[in-house]
């Protein structure tokens, strides 16, 4: 449903009839709050069971394990236990900071060679760099992407064909590139888990939790590999376009770029006695309010996916709207994030300061949380949101402090997004931007490092 359609009809909920079924499209923040409150009756986990096998290609016995006790009604289950352990591993704290440290250590090897007038395709560079650094931080040095960097392209072949794979109609023939990529990556991760030793792997707490849960529930190595392909969607498919658009938005607006550089220098950069400039990553996260507001606004404008729930029992939503068991509820971000009733008359403008206090004495602006859903909401809030936020903010801070970036041809343009798969919220650009990267004039002889705190 388009934002135009919603603004013309201005209804809080619609029923779309699709063949013999119905889809309920919710566009009202008030009703989305009601959906969040009914997380047992309107559940996300059934989609794991319904679509998971089509996404990852795992076998029927694994589907039985995945589907057992999906919502925790009768005690433990694979999905419930895995979710809880993943939330613990990715919550703010030592595990999250350890992952971010490794991510930036790897990123430094990509940033240091830049600045001599390098000409790169910005999305292609971001895609390769973020993939290699993220997988190293999460899986350790012996991960399949480190062994075979060609998997970077394979992953995006898989993502590009994902909608056809989900349709599950002769996928081997109608989506040969995605099907082959999925099979090859799954086989590589099966081998990775076959040799996995938590004490030697140097992997993240999240992967230790995934391996422990898979072993506990008796998943075979081949199916662990299949399920890990689905995990990569969460690790890479949104993070990479988000990182790209963050850089584009910052360098497109010179006034915003200047203000953020000034903010970073004031609260997040220390200078050692030797003159080394040190970026404090947690200060970037906690004290750089304009940079954080830009990240929030980027997600409002560029997160265009759809949140879905399965109706497990008849529900009278908000004591007014009857939802039938077995149907689907969808909550389109593109509508919610561009609604003038939620965001004001400038809803279609990119204005980061809407997320900031307007003065030192003014209260923080009230964000309509049900109408802001880049990471979902309620019980199904994305557990990886803290890591991707640190990744994107840290990368943005390192880039804007060290480098100037300009398009090789013409002025900056914001590339239109292209919906690649229904499993993605921040879609990649339809076209890349060829840019020239130089070290900032005042940074020619500066040595840079980072620290977490």
């Amino acid at each position: 449903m388009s934002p135009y359609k919603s603004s013309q009809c201005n209804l809080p909920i619609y029923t779309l009839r699709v063949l013999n079924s119905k889809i309920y499209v919710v566009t009202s923040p008030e009703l989305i709050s009601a959906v969040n409150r009914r997380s047992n009756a309107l559940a996300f986990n059934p989609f794991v069971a319904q679509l998971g096998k089509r996404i990852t290609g795992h076998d029927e016995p694994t589907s039985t394990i995945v589907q057992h006790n999906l919502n925790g009604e009768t005690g433990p289950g694979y999905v419930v236990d895995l979710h809880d352990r993943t939330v613990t591993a990715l919550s703010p704290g030592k595990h999250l900071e350890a992952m971010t440290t490794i991510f930036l250590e790897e990123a430094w090897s990509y940033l240091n060679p830049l600045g001599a007038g390098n000409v790169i395709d910005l999305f292609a560079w971001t895609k390769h760099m973020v993939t290699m650094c993220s997988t190293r931080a999460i899986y350790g040095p012996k991960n399949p992407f480190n062994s075979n960097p060609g998997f970077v392209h394979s992953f995006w072949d898989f993502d590009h064909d994902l909608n056809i794979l989900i349709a599950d109609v002769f996928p081997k023939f109608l989506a040969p590139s995605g099907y082959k990529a999925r099979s090859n990556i799954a086989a590589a991760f099966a081998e990775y888990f076959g040799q996995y030793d938590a004490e030697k792997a140097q992997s993240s707490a999240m992967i230790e939790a995934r391996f422990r849960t898979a072993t506990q529930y008796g998943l075979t190595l081949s199916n662990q590999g299949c399920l890990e392909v689905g995990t990569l969607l969460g690790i890479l498919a949104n993070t990479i376009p988000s990182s790209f658009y963050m850089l584009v938005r910052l360098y497109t607006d010179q006034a915003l770029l200047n203000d953020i550089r000034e903010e970073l220098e004031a609260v997040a950069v220390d200078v050692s006695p030797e003159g080394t400039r040190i970026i404090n990553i947690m200060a970037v996260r906690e004290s750089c309010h304009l940079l954080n507001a830009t990240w929030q606004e980027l997600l409002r404008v560029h997160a265009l996916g759809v949140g879905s729930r399965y109706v497990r029992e008849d529900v009278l939503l908000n004591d007014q709207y009857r939802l039938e068991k077995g149907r689907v509820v969808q909550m389109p971000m593109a509508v919610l994030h561009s609604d003038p009733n939620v965001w004001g008359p400038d809803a279609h403008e990119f204005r980061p300061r809407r997320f900031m206090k307007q003065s030192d004495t003014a209260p923080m602006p009230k964000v309509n949380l049900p109408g802001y859903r880049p990471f979902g909401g309620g019980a199904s809030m994305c557990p990886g949101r803290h890591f991707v936020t640190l990744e994107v903010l840290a990368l943005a801070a390192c880039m804007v402090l060290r480098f100037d970036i300009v398009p090789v041809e013409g002025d900056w343009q914001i590339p239109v997004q292209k919906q690649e798969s229904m499993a993605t919220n921040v879609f990649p650009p339809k076209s890349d931007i060829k840019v020239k990267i130089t070290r900032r004039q005042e940074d020619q002889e500066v040595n840079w490092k980072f620290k977490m705190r």
Side-chain angles (χ1 to χ4, degrees):
M1 178 159 304
S2 70
Y4 173 79
K5 180 67 175 178
S6 176
S7 65
Q8 293 297 304
C9 297
N10 199 31
L11 297 174
I13 186 169
Y14 305 83
T15 300
L16 300 182
R17 298 185 182 277
V18 181
L19 300 177
N20 294 324
S21 188
K22 296 178 182 177
I23 297 175
Y24 304 113
V25 181
V26 180
T27 62
S28 156
E30 180 184 5
L31 288 188
I32 287 176
S33 291
V35 170
N36 290 341
R37 289 194 298 268
R38 301 297 301 272
S39 59
N40 286 329
L42 305 173
F44 173 74
N45 283 349
F47 282 96
V48 176
Q50 290 186 357
L51 299 181
K53 184 175 184 297
R54 298 182 180 191
I55 292 173
T56 70
H58 60 259
D59 64 18
E60 286 298 332
T62 300
S63 288
T64 300
I65 295 171
V66 169
Q67 292 176 33
H68 173 68
N69 202 24
L70 267 174
N71 294 286
E73 305 93 331
T74 57
Y78 171 79
V79 170
V80 174
D81 283 354
L82 181 60
H83 174 267
D84 292 346
R85 292 168 183 174
T86 301
V87 168
T88 299
L90 295 179
S91 293
K94 64 178 183 179
H95 296 312
L96 180 67
E97 292 183 24
M99 289 170 60
T100 307
T101 297
I102 296 172
F103 172 84
L104 285 172
E105 288 173 348
E106 292 296 308
W108 233 242
S109 67
Y110 289 88
L111 300 184
N112 284 339
L114 296 177
N118 310 65
V119 174
I120 63 171
D121 292 317
L122 186 58
F123 183 67
W125 178 85
T126 304
K127 181 164 57 177
H128 184 83
M129 188 274 294
V130 172
T131 300
M132 298 303 291
C133 298
S134 296
T135 52
R136 169 63 181 86
I138 292 169
Y139 293 102
K142 295 183 179 181
N143 75 80
F145 285 84
N146 241 19
S147 303
N148 182 2
F151 280 150
V152 175
H153 298 290
S154 297
F155 171 79
W156 288 97
D157 285 341
F158 163 67
D159 184 75
H160 177 76
D161 283 350
L162 187 56
N163 288 347
I164 302 175
L165 294 172
I166 290 174
D168 201 27
V169 179
F170 304 114
K172 187 174 183 178
F173 301 101
L174 296 181
S177 295
Y179 187 91
K180 180 180 179 181
R182 182 179 69 181
S183 299
N184 289 343
I185 295 173
F189 271 101
E191 182 177 352
Y192 167 83
F193 283 118
Q195 302 171 355
Y196 185 80
D197 183 326
E199 294 184 0
K200 298 178 181 179
Q202 302 176 48
S203 64
S204 65
M206 182 185 85
I207 297 307
E208 292 182 28
R210 289 187 61 80
F211 182 75
R212 185 171 73 253
T213 307
T215 302
Q216 174 187 342
Y217 283 90
L219 298 183
T220 66
L221 289 173
S222 62
N223 284 289
Q224 286 185 53
C226 290
L227 291 174
E228 214 57 34
V229 179
T231 302
L232 289 172
L233 287 171
I235 294 170
L236 302 174
N238 292 300
T239 304
I240 290 169
S242 296
S243 300
F244 168 80
Y245 276 108
M246 188 68 166
L247 294 177
V248 171
R249 286 291 183 178
L250 290 174
Y251 283 97
T252 298
D253 187 333
Q254 188 62 49
L256 177 64
L257 179 62
N258 291 341
D259 288 346
I260 285 177
R261 281 172 168 167
E262 182 178 336
E263 177 183 67
L264 286 164
E265 292 281 3
V267 301
V269 177
D270 301 322
V271 182
S272 74
E274 298 77 27
T276 298
R277 297 173 70 78
I278 305 167
I279 305 171
N280 185 319
I281 301 304
M282 293 312 297
V284 171
R285 176 69 182 100
E286 296 168 358
S287 302
C288 292
H289 305 303
L290 181 55
L291 182 61
N292 278 269
T294 303
W295 168 234
Q296 289 178 283
E297 179 73 343
L298 178 134
L299 292 173
R300 186 187 72 84
V301 172
H302 289 283
L304 306 175
V306 176
S308 299
R309 300 290 183 273
Y310 181 77
V311 185
R312 299 178 63 231
E313 59 189 55
D314 287 352
V315 170
L316 189 62
L317 193 64
N318 240 23
D319 297 323
Q320 188 174 3
Y321 303 100
R322 183 174 180 269
L323 310 184
E324 298 176 359
K325 179 181 177 179
R327 310 304 188 185
V328 171
V329 174
Q330 292 193 336
M331 296 160 284
M333 295 177 200
V335 175
L336 292 161
H337 290 180
S338 60
D339 187 350
N341 295 319
V342 176
W343 301 101
D346 61 354
H348 292 283
E349 298 177 14
F350 188 85
R351 191 173 69 80
R353 285 177 171 84
R354 75 173 76 246
F355 288 98
M356 294 180 65
K357 294 170 62 174
Q358 299 308 302
S359 69
D360 290 340
T361 58
M364 282 296 293
K366 293 182 179 180
V367 177
N368 192 321
L369 293 179
Y372 183 68
R373 297 180 56 82
F375 295 113
S380 62
M381 184 78 77
C382 172
R385 63 191 183 278
H386 304 294
F387 183 48
V388 65
T389 294
L390 277 176
E391 285 181 292
V392 173
L393 292 178
L395 176 61
C398 294
M399 292 294 288
V400 302
L401 285 168
R402 298 180 62 179
F403 304 111
D404 287 319
I405 304 179
V406 296
V408 171
E409 297 182 0
D411 298 325
W412 279 106
Q413 301 291 330
I414 307 297
V416 174
Q417 292 174 265
K418 177 183 180 183
Q419 183 174 0
E420 286 286 307
S421 80
M422 63 186 294
T424 304
N425 289 333
V426 182
F427 307 139
K430 282 187 176 180
S431 58
D432 210 334
I433 306 175
K434 194 173 291 293
V435 299
K436 181 179 180 180
I437 302 181
T438 56
R439 294 192 71 163
R440 297 177 64 197
Q441 189 63 38
E442 57 268 45
D443 184 49
Q444 295 298 318
E445 304 299 327
V446 174
N447 183 34
W448 285 93
K449 293 184 179 179
F450 76 90
K451 63 182 181 180
M452 286 307 301
R453 293 186 179 275

